Amino acid sequence: MSVTRRLVAAVTAAATTSVVRGVLDTSPPGGPRVWTRTNHRGEPVSMLEGPATAAGLLVGAVAGASSARGALAAGVAVTSAAAFGLVDDLREDTTTRTKGLRGHLGALAHGRLTTGGLKVLGIGAGALLAAAVAPPAGGRATHPPARAADTLASGALVAGTANLFNLLDLRPGRALKAAGLAAVPLAVAGGAGVGTAAAVLGAGGAAVEQDLAEADMLGDGGANALGAALGTAVVLGAPRPVRLTALAAVVALTLASERVSFTRVIERTPVLREIDAWGRRPAAPAPRGRHAAPSDDTDA
């Protein structure tokens, strides 16, 4: 893919994110209170970054696609991830605290559908559909069983990456920085996924300043869309061994998140700690006394 098309994808994604964010700020659906949350400092933060970033990812990925099927795959993956993430953001039942993939799947096993469980099902279905229409690098397997396995693996990669970036979105700028670091090699390596990777860089670049300033947050809608776009870029541009390796890494990190705090690991690793803190406001002083808030991760 030409450098021009990559630039078009990145610039289109950045411009769309900025414009949509401005429009939503002027007239937020349902009013500002629907989109406002209180952060760890006790300050208001807006979730309008999420739909704005998702819009940028969608338009940029379509603009940078090298084929109609690639554009459709990216569009389905990003749209379903953003839509079901927003349902969880705006309709979550706060009277019960069901968190984590294991918690939502456990609720489903007991016949209770949470908004998080609906998100797992919806994003999974969208990811599978995206994988079915995507033209993976190296082509599809010829035999039906192998072709079905290919599609399932690619769908799991898109859905798993969407979930993983939601798990990373626990501190200002963290998910956007991780997405940028992952998207750079995908955007320069060549192949059918470079347009989608460039869109990630463009949309993330447009959103990161307000995110680091703690005026905005991605929320589930934005973080899931960001991860789904990256997963789709890998499916479109990476050969099968790389896709399977990426899937194994995503599964391993997801399972680890059920037992290990990503935030604690980052805080104890000097290089990761510096990258994570770069550009962010200094941490608020920890409250004293027995009512001090825990430092562990929360799925906010």
Side-chain angles (χ1 to χ4, degrees):
M1 180 180 288
S2 68
V3 173
T4 300
R5 186 175 287 274
R6 300 178 207 198
L7 288 174
V8 167
V11 171
T12 302
T16 302
T17 299
S18 297
V19 169
V20 173
R21 181 64 186 87
V23 170
L24 290 174
D25 202 38
T26 302
S27 182
R33 292 183 61 183
V34 172
W35 299 90
T36 302
R37 299 292 183 271
T38 301
N39 68 8
H40 61 286
R41 301 177 194 269
E43 299 172 352
V45 58
S46 173
M47 291 198 301
L48 290 171
E49 177 189 338
T53 301
L57 291 167
L58 175 62
V59 176
V62 171
S66 59
S67 69
R69 287 176 62 187
L72 180 59
V76 169
V78 170
T79 301
S80 60
F84 286 100
L86 284 171
V87 169
D88 198 26
D89 281 332
L90 302 177
R91 301 298 182 190
E92 182 183 13
D93 182 4
T94 56
T95 61
T96 60
R97 188 168 176 81
T98 304
K99 295 296 180 182
L101 187 61
R102 183 171 58 182
H104 293 303
L105 292 178
L108 281 172
H110 288 87
R112 183 165 60 89
L113 180 62
T114 64
T115 54
L118 178 63
K119 182 178 69 172
V120 170
L121 296 175
I123 292 177
L128 192 60
L129 178 58
V133 300
R140 291 190 181 279
T142 54
H143 299 295
R147 190 162 59 245
D150 237 7
T151 300
L152 287 172
S154 293
L157 175 58
V158 174
T161 309
N163 179 65
L164 179 61
F165 273 82
N166 190 40
L167 296 176
L168 288 173
D169 188 36
L170 296 171
R171 294 294 184 272
R174 180 180 294 172
L176 291 171
K177 290 175 187 176
L181 290 171
V184 166
L186 292 171
V188 301
V194 298
T196 304
V200 170
L201 292 173
V208 71
E209 182 178 359
Q210 288 295 93
D211 199 294
L212 287 171
E214 299 183 29
D216 279 358
M217 61 181 286
L218 283 168
D220 287 14
N224 286 144
L226 195 68
L230 271 173
T232 305
V234 176
V235 168
L236 291 171
R240 186 176 294 109
V242 175
R243 296 198 303 269
L244 293 176
T245 300
L247 175 59
V250 167
V251 171
L253 287 170
T254 302
L255 292 175
S257 72
E258 296 287 341
R259 296 182 175 274
V260 179
S261 164
F262 285 169
T263 293
R264 289 184 178 178
V265 172
I266 291 170
E267 289 174 348
R268 293 170 181 172
T269 309
V271 173
L272 295 179
R273 184 172 64 243
E274 291 299 318
I275 294 173
D276 192 50
W278 179 79
R280 187 186 300 164
R281 295 166 59 189
R288 297 179 179 275
R290 62 178 181 174
H291 297 296
S295 61
D296 208 357
D297 289 351
T298 57
D299 183 10

